[in-house]
Amino acid sequence: MDEKESQTHAQFLTLFTANEPAIRAYVRRLVPTRQDAADVMQGTALVLWRKFEELDDPERFRPWAFGIARYEVLGWLRDRDRNRLVLAEDVIEAVAVESAQQESLLDAQRDALADCLEKIPVEQRELVLAAYGPDASIQHVAQSSGRSVAAFYQWLHRVRGQLLECTHRALKAEGLL
């Protein structure tokens, strides 16, 4: 790999790593399951890398990546058009446009939630994150917390309410709500 290829590779990795959570969230809003999103993200990452030299302005990486991700979702949709659980192409297009328009607000919400999570005690934060993990079992998380399942759900409901209030306060302070 020569110097120019190495620099291109480093720039792509930097931009992709910084934007991957937002791209994944965007794709996740357009497909039914996390596994579908993971499948689409694999194709999206490959296309982004192959077409990276076509990107004129690295500052526009995210919207450019969203456009590619949208086309990857549409391709995924065409491949699965016989499945009744898949949305129609025009619905996907409408959701994609709306999602792209809402991305800055969603970023602010994610940042505010992350900040609010940091404010709660470590033990509580770990329980909340465990409850929402990809393979989470509420029964297991409740048991590890020393609560019954019903008591854990009540506790989780209260903590979610606190996080929601904290997030709204942060967004209002930034003038986003």
Side-chain angles (χ1 to χ4, degrees):
M1 186 180 292
D2 69 11
E3 178 81 19
K4 184 179 184 318
E5 288 174 334
S6 181
Q7 288 176 347
T8 300
H9 188 251
Q11 184 182 30
F12 173 79
L13 285 176
T14 300
L15 290 168
F16 182 75
T17 303
N19 289 284
E20 189 270 340
I23 299 165
R24 183 173 299 278
Y26 176 79
V27 168
R28 180 64 184 98
R29 290 189 298 270
L30 301 177
V31 297
T33 69
R34 281 189 169 89
Q35 184 56 51
D36 295 335
D39 293 345
V40 171
M41 278 300 295
Q42 286 180 353
T44 299
L46 289 172
V47 173
L48 289 172
W49 171 243
R50 284 188 201 126
K51 294 183 175 252
F52 185 63
E53 290 188 358
E54 296 175 16
L55 177 65
D56 295 331
D57 180 6
E59 295 291 318
R60 303 275 308 141
F61 182 85
R62 186 178 290 187
W64 175 74
F66 282 0
I68 289 174
R70 184 176 66 230
Y71 285 113
E72 286 297 302
V73 167
L74 291 171
W76 173 87
L77 174 65
R78 279 188 296 279
D79 292 345
R80 286 154 186 82
D81 65 355
R82 290 178 297 277
N83 185 340
R84 293 182 201 189
L85 297 175
V86 177
L87 296 174
E89 195 168 318
D90 59 335
V91 175
I92 293 286
E93 281 289 342
V95 172
V97 168
E98 180 69 22
S99 291
Q101 291 171 346
Q102 295 294 318
E103 186 57 32
S104 62
L105 177 59
L106 293 170
D107 267 348
Q109 289 173 333
R110 281 189 289 271
D111 291 344
L113 178 58
D115 291 343
C116 291
L117 273 168
E118 289 294 319
K119 293 177 184 176
I120 63 175
V122 174
E123 304 82 26
Q124 290 182 7
R125 180 171 53 245
E126 289 173 353
L127 286 172
V128 169
L129 294 175
Y132 289 101
D135 297 321
S137 162
I138 292 295
Q139 291 79 11
H140 176 69
V141 177
Q143 184 180 23
S144 71
S145 75
R147 296 175 177 90
S148 69
V149 172
F152 184 76
Y153 273 120
Q154 288 177 344
W155 172 83
L156 189 58
H157 179 73
R158 285 192 302 274
V159 172
R160 283 193 317 239
Q162 292 168 353
L163 290 170
L164 181 63
E165 288 176 26
C166 176
T167 302
H168 279 139
R169 281 193 306 274
L171 293 173
K172 280 183 182 177
E174 292 181 32
L176 297 171
L177 284 185

